[in-house]
Short mmCIF file of all heavy atoms in Angstrom, two decimals:
data_model
loop_
_atom_site.label_atom_id
_atom_site.label_comp_id
_atom_site.label_asym_id
_atom_site.label_seq_id
_atom_site.Cartn_x
_atom_site.Cartn_y
_atom_site.Cartn_z
N LYS X 650 -15.51 -146.52 102.21
CA LYS X 650 -16.92 -146.87 102.38
C LYS X 650 -17.49 -147.54 101.15
O LYS X 650 -18.29 -148.47 101.24
CB LYS X 650 -17.77 -145.60 102.71
CG LYS X 650 -17.63 -145.09 104.12
CD LYS X 650 -18.43 -143.87 104.31
CE LYS X 650 -18.08 -143.23 105.67
NZ LYS X 650 -18.70 -141.93 105.86
N ILE X 651 -17.11 -147.05 99.99
CA ILE X 651 -17.63 -147.62 98.71
C ILE X 651 -16.99 -148.96 98.45
O ILE X 651 -17.62 -149.84 97.88
CB ILE X 651 -17.32 -146.61 97.56
CG1 ILE X 651 -18.15 -145.35 97.74
CG2 ILE X 651 -17.69 -147.25 96.23
CD1 ILE X 651 -17.76 -144.22 96.84
N GLY X 652 -15.76 -149.15 98.87
CA GLY X 652 -15.08 -150.43 98.70
C GLY X 652 -14.81 -150.78 97.24
O GLY X 652 -14.42 -149.93 96.46
N SER X 653 -15.03 -152.04 96.89
CA SER X 653 -14.71 -152.53 95.55
C SER X 653 -15.59 -151.90 94.45
O SER X 653 -15.29 -152.08 93.27
CB SER X 653 -14.82 -154.04 95.50
OG SER X 653 -16.16 -154.44 95.71
N LYS X 654 -16.61 -151.21 94.82
CA LYS X 654 -17.47 -150.55 93.84
C LYS X 654 -16.95 -149.15 93.48
O LYS X 654 -17.51 -148.53 92.62
CB LYS X 654 -18.92 -150.48 94.35
CG LYS X 654 -19.55 -151.84 94.52
CD LYS X 654 -21.07 -151.70 94.61
CE LYS X 654 -21.73 -153.05 94.66
NZ LYS X 654 -21.66 -153.82 93.48
N TYR X 655 -15.88 -148.73 94.13
CA TYR X 655 -15.33 -147.39 93.84
C TYR X 655 -14.91 -147.33 92.35
O TYR X 655 -14.26 -148.16 91.82
CB TYR X 655 -14.08 -147.09 94.72
CG TYR X 655 -13.45 -145.76 94.39
CD1 TYR X 655 -14.07 -144.57 94.74
CD2 TYR X 655 -12.31 -145.71 93.65
CE1 TYR X 655 -13.52 -143.36 94.42
CE2 TYR X 655 -11.72 -144.49 93.32
CZ TYR X 655 -12.35 -143.31 93.70
OH TYR X 655 -11.81 -142.13 93.35
N GLY X 656 -15.33 -146.29 91.71
CA GLY X 656 -14.98 -146.05 90.30
C GLY X 656 -15.95 -146.63 89.31
O GLY X 656 -15.87 -146.38 88.11
N GLU X 657 -16.90 -147.46 89.77
CA GLU X 657 -17.87 -148.05 88.84
C GLU X 657 -18.80 -146.99 88.31
O GLU X 657 -19.13 -146.04 89.01
CB GLU X 657 -18.69 -149.15 89.55
CG GLU X 657 -17.94 -150.42 89.80
CD GLU X 657 -18.80 -151.50 90.39
OE1 GLU X 657 -20.04 -151.37 90.45
OE2 GLU X 657 -18.24 -152.52 90.84
N ASN X 658 -19.20 -147.18 87.04
CA ASN X 658 -20.22 -146.32 86.47
C ASN X 658 -20.89 -147.05 85.33
O ASN X 658 -20.60 -148.25 85.07
CB ASN X 658 -19.58 -144.99 85.94
CG ASN X 658 -18.58 -145.26 84.86
OD1 ASN X 658 -18.92 -145.73 83.80
ND2 ASN X 658 -17.34 -144.86 85.14
N ASN X 659 -21.80 -146.43 84.65
CA ASN X 659 -22.56 -147.08 83.59
C ASN X 659 -22.27 -146.48 82.22
O ASN X 659 -23.15 -146.50 81.34
CB ASN X 659 -24.10 -147.02 83.90
CG ASN X 659 -24.41 -147.89 85.08
OD1 ASN X 659 -23.92 -148.99 85.20
ND2 ASN X 659 -25.24 -147.36 85.95
N ILE X 660 -21.10 -145.95 81.99
CA ILE X 660 -20.79 -145.31 80.74
C ILE X 660 -20.93 -146.24 79.55
O ILE X 660 -21.26 -145.86 78.47
CB ILE X 660 -19.38 -144.65 80.79
CG1 ILE X 660 -19.21 -143.59 79.73
CG2 ILE X 660 -18.25 -145.72 80.69
CD1 ILE X 660 -18.02 -142.73 79.89
N GLY X 661 -20.70 -147.52 79.78
CA GLY X 661 -20.80 -148.51 78.68
C GLY X 661 -22.10 -149.29 78.69
O GLY X 661 -22.22 -150.31 78.00
N GLN X 662 -23.08 -148.82 79.47
CA GLN X 662 -24.32 -149.57 79.62
C GLN X 662 -24.96 -149.91 78.27
O GLN X 662 -25.04 -149.04 77.40
CB GLN X 662 -25.31 -148.79 80.47
CG GLN X 662 -26.56 -149.57 80.81
CD GLN X 662 -27.44 -148.80 81.84
OE1 GLN X 662 -27.28 -147.63 82.08
NE2 GLN X 662 -28.37 -149.53 82.40
N ASN X 663 -25.38 -151.16 78.15
CA ASN X 663 -26.02 -151.69 76.94
C ASN X 663 -25.15 -151.69 75.71
O ASN X 663 -25.61 -151.74 74.59
CB ASN X 663 -27.32 -150.95 76.65
CG ASN X 663 -28.33 -151.06 77.73
OD1 ASN X 663 -28.46 -152.10 78.37
ND2 ASN X 663 -29.02 -149.96 78.06
N LYS X 664 -23.83 -151.58 75.92
CA LYS X 664 -22.86 -151.65 74.78
C LYS X 664 -22.04 -152.88 74.95
O LYS X 664 -21.69 -153.28 76.07
CB LYS X 664 -21.97 -150.40 74.75
CG LYS X 664 -22.75 -149.12 74.54
CD LYS X 664 -21.82 -147.94 74.57
CE LYS X 664 -22.60 -146.63 74.48
NZ LYS X 664 -21.73 -145.49 74.67
N LYS X 665 -21.67 -153.50 73.82
CA LYS X 665 -20.86 -154.69 73.86
C LYS X 665 -19.46 -154.38 73.31
O LYS X 665 -19.31 -153.53 72.46
CB LYS X 665 -21.51 -155.79 72.98
CG LYS X 665 -22.83 -156.31 73.51
CD LYS X 665 -23.40 -157.38 72.60
CE LYS X 665 -24.72 -157.87 73.16
NZ LYS X 665 -25.29 -158.92 72.33
N VAL X 666 -18.51 -155.08 73.87
CA VAL X 666 -17.13 -154.90 73.41
C VAL X 666 -16.44 -156.27 73.51
O VAL X 666 -16.72 -157.06 74.40
CB VAL X 666 -16.38 -153.81 74.25
CG1 VAL X 666 -16.23 -154.25 75.70
CG2 VAL X 666 -15.02 -153.51 73.65
N ASP X 667 -15.57 -156.51 72.55
CA ASP X 667 -14.82 -157.76 72.50
C ASP X 667 -13.34 -157.38 72.72
O ASP X 667 -12.79 -156.57 71.97
CB ASP X 667 -14.97 -158.44 71.15
CG ASP X 667 -14.25 -159.78 71.12
OD1 ASP X 667 -14.25 -160.50 72.13
OD2 ASP X 667 -13.72 -160.11 70.05
N VAL X 668 -12.74 -157.92 73.75
CA VAL X 668 -11.31 -157.66 74.05
C VAL X 668 -10.57 -158.91 73.62
O VAL X 668 -10.77 -159.98 74.18
CB VAL X 668 -11.06 -157.33 75.54
CG1 VAL X 668 -9.61 -157.12 75.78
CG2 VAL X 668 -11.91 -156.08 75.92
N GLU X 669 -9.70 -158.72 72.63
CA GLU X 669 -8.89 -159.83 72.17
C GLU X 669 -7.46 -159.65 72.63
O GLU X 669 -6.89 -158.54 72.57
CB GLU X 669 -8.84 -159.87 70.63
CG GLU X 669 -10.18 -160.11 69.99
CD GLU X 669 -10.11 -160.09 68.47
OE1 GLU X 669 -8.97 -159.93 67.92
OE2 GLU X 669 -11.13 -160.24 67.82
N PHE X 670 -6.92 -160.68 73.23
CA PHE X 670 -5.51 -160.64 73.57
C PHE X 670 -4.88 -161.97 73.09
O PHE X 670 -5.52 -162.96 73.08
CB PHE X 670 -5.23 -160.33 75.02
CG PHE X 670 -6.22 -160.87 76.02
CD1 PHE X 670 -5.94 -161.97 76.82
CD2 PHE X 670 -7.45 -160.23 76.22
CE1 PHE X 670 -6.84 -162.42 77.74
CE2 PHE X 670 -8.34 -160.67 77.16
CZ PHE X 670 -8.04 -161.78 77.92
N ILE X 671 -3.64 -161.86 72.72
CA ILE X 671 -3.02 -163.01 72.00
C ILE X 671 -1.99 -163.69 72.86
O ILE X 671 -1.49 -163.16 73.83
CB ILE X 671 -2.37 -162.53 70.70
CG1 ILE X 671 -1.28 -161.51 70.99
CG2 ILE X 671 -3.39 -161.97 69.76
CD1 ILE X 671 -0.41 -161.19 69.77
N SER X 672 -1.76 -164.91 72.50
CA SER X 672 -0.73 -165.71 73.19
C SER X 672 0.65 -165.39 72.64
O SER X 672 0.80 -164.60 71.71
CB SER X 672 -0.99 -167.21 73.02
OG SER X 672 -0.84 -167.53 71.65
N ALA X 673 1.63 -166.03 73.18
CA ALA X 673 3.00 -165.91 72.71
C ALA X 673 3.07 -166.35 71.26
O ALA X 673 2.39 -167.25 70.81
CB ALA X 673 3.95 -166.73 73.56
N ASN X 674 3.99 -165.73 70.55
CA ASN X 674 4.29 -166.13 69.18
C ASN X 674 5.05 -167.45 69.23
O ASN X 674 6.20 -167.47 69.70
CB ASN X 674 5.11 -165.06 68.47
CG ASN X 674 5.48 -165.42 67.06
OD1 ASN X 674 5.20 -166.56 66.61
ND2 ASN X 674 6.10 -164.50 66.39
N PRO X 675 4.46 -168.54 68.76
CA PRO X 675 5.17 -169.83 68.91
C PRO X 675 6.33 -169.99 67.97
O PRO X 675 7.06 -170.97 68.08
CB PRO X 675 4.06 -170.84 68.59
CG PRO X 675 3.08 -170.11 67.75
CD PRO X 675 3.16 -168.69 68.22
N THR X 676 6.57 -169.08 67.04
CA THR X 676 7.69 -169.21 66.12
C THR X 676 8.93 -168.47 66.64
O THR X 676 9.93 -168.41 65.97
CB THR X 676 7.34 -168.69 64.74
OG1 THR X 676 6.99 -167.30 64.85
CG2 THR X 676 6.17 -169.49 64.16
N GLY X 677 8.84 -167.89 67.84
CA GLY X 677 9.99 -167.16 68.36
C GLY X 677 10.16 -167.46 69.82
O GLY X 677 9.38 -168.14 70.44
N PRO X 678 11.20 -166.89 70.39
CA PRO X 678 11.42 -167.15 71.83
C PRO X 678 10.41 -166.45 72.71
O PRO X 678 9.82 -165.42 72.27
CB PRO X 678 12.84 -166.55 72.05
CG PRO X 678 13.01 -165.55 70.98
CD PRO X 678 12.23 -166.05 69.79
N LEU X 679 10.15 -167.00 73.89
CA LEU X 679 9.23 -166.35 74.83
C LEU X 679 9.90 -165.11 75.44
O LEU X 679 11.07 -165.08 75.70
CB LEU X 679 8.88 -167.35 75.94
CG LEU X 679 8.01 -168.54 75.56
CD1 LEU X 679 7.86 -169.46 76.74
CD2 LEU X 679 6.65 -168.05 75.06
N THR X 680 9.05 -164.12 75.63
CA THR X 680 9.55 -162.87 76.24
C THR X 680 8.56 -162.41 77.30
O THR X 680 7.45 -162.91 77.36
CB THR X 680 9.66 -161.76 75.18
OG1 THR X 680 8.36 -161.41 74.72
CG2 THR X 680 10.55 -162.16 74.00
N VAL X 681 8.96 -161.47 78.09
CA VAL X 681 8.06 -160.90 79.08
C VAL X 681 6.92 -160.24 78.37
O VAL X 681 5.74 -160.27 78.83
CB VAL X 681 8.79 -159.82 79.97
CG1 VAL X 681 7.86 -159.09 80.85
CG2 VAL X 681 9.89 -160.56 80.82
N GLY X 682 7.14 -159.66 77.25
CA GLY X 682 6.08 -159.04 76.45
C GLY X 682 4.99 -160.01 76.07
O GLY X 682 3.81 -159.62 75.99
N ASN X 683 5.33 -161.27 75.80
CA ASN X 683 4.32 -162.29 75.48
C ASN X 683 3.36 -162.46 76.63
O ASN X 683 2.15 -162.54 76.44
CB ASN X 683 5.00 -163.62 75.14
CG ASN X 683 5.93 -163.60 73.97
OD1 ASN X 683 7.01 -164.17 74.02
ND2 ASN X 683 5.57 -162.90 72.90
N ALA X 684 3.87 -162.54 77.84
CA ALA X 684 3.05 -162.69 79.00
C ALA X 684 2.22 -161.46 79.27
O ALA X 684 1.06 -161.48 79.73
CB ALA X 684 3.86 -163.07 80.22
N ARG X 685 2.80 -160.32 79.01
CA ARG X 685 2.15 -159.03 79.31
C ARG X 685 0.83 -158.87 78.54
O ARG X 685 -0.12 -158.31 79.03
CB ARG X 685 3.13 -157.90 78.97
CG ARG X 685 2.62 -156.55 79.31
CD ARG X 685 3.66 -155.47 79.03
NE ARG X 685 4.22 -155.60 77.70
CZ ARG X 685 5.47 -155.28 77.38
NH1 ARG X 685 6.32 -154.81 78.31
NH2 ARG X 685 5.92 -155.41 76.15
N GLY X 686 0.74 -159.38 77.32
CA GLY X 686 -0.43 -159.27 76.49
C GLY X 686 -1.68 -159.81 77.18
O GLY X 686 -2.75 -159.20 77.16
N GLY X 687 -1.54 -161.00 77.76
CA GLY X 687 -2.67 -161.60 78.46
C GLY X 687 -3.12 -160.80 79.65
O GLY X 687 -4.28 -160.58 79.95
N VAL X 688 -2.13 -160.38 80.44
CA VAL X 688 -2.42 -159.63 81.71
C VAL X 688 -3.09 -158.30 81.38
O VAL X 688 -4.12 -157.93 81.96
CB VAL X 688 -1.14 -159.43 82.49
CG1 VAL X 688 -1.41 -158.50 83.67
CG2 VAL X 688 -0.56 -160.74 82.95
N ILE X 689 -2.52 -157.58 80.44
CA ILE X 689 -3.08 -156.27 80.07
C ILE X 689 -4.49 -156.45 79.50
O ILE X 689 -5.40 -155.71 79.81
CB ILE X 689 -2.14 -155.47 79.15
CG1 ILE X 689 -0.92 -155.08 79.91
CG2 ILE X 689 -2.86 -154.27 78.55
CD1 ILE X 689 0.17 -154.45 79.06
N GLY X 690 -4.65 -157.43 78.60
CA GLY X 690 -5.98 -157.65 77.99
C GLY X 690 -7.00 -157.95 79.05
O GLY X 690 -8.13 -157.44 78.98
N ASP X 691 -6.68 -158.78 80.03
CA ASP X 691 -7.62 -159.08 81.11
C ASP X 691 -7.93 -157.86 81.97
O ASP X 691 -9.08 -157.66 82.38
CB ASP X 691 -7.10 -160.26 81.94
CG ASP X 691 -8.13 -160.81 82.87
OD1 ASP X 691 -9.26 -161.15 82.38
OD2 ASP X 691 -7.91 -160.85 84.07
N CYS X 692 -6.93 -157.07 82.24
CA CYS X 692 -7.13 -155.82 83.05
C CYS X 692 -8.06 -154.85 82.31
O CYS X 692 -8.97 -154.29 82.87
CB CYS X 692 -5.78 -155.15 83.34
SG CYS X 692 -4.82 -156.04 84.57
N VAL X 693 -7.82 -154.68 81.02
CA VAL X 693 -8.63 -153.79 80.21
C VAL X 693 -10.12 -154.27 80.22
O VAL X 693 -11.05 -153.54 80.42
CB VAL X 693 -8.13 -153.66 78.76
CG1 VAL X 693 -9.15 -153.01 77.84
CG2 VAL X 693 -6.83 -152.87 78.73
#
């Protein structure tokens, strides 16, 4: 019944947060871990 609003709350109301996630290290080979940083950062 709640749908996509399930789990929403206002615990962070009026608070700001900056989520930084980094790209792949260009001085080394690409790994799955490099891609994971962006996905996890966006999910958080």
Side-chain angles (χ1 to χ4, degrees):
K650 283 179 189 171
I651 295 168
S653 65
K654 294 197 176 291
Y655 177 74
E657 286 185 10
N658 63 62
N659 291 318
I660 200 167
Q662 189 172 13
N663 299 321
K664 297 178 186 172
K665 294 180 180 181
V666 65
D667 184 38
V668 178
E669 297 180 2
F670 33 105
I671 60 170
S672 66
N674 178 355
T676 61
L679 291 175
T680 67
V681 171
N683 299 138
R685 185 176 50 212
V688 173
I689 291 174
D691 192 53
C692 288
V693 167

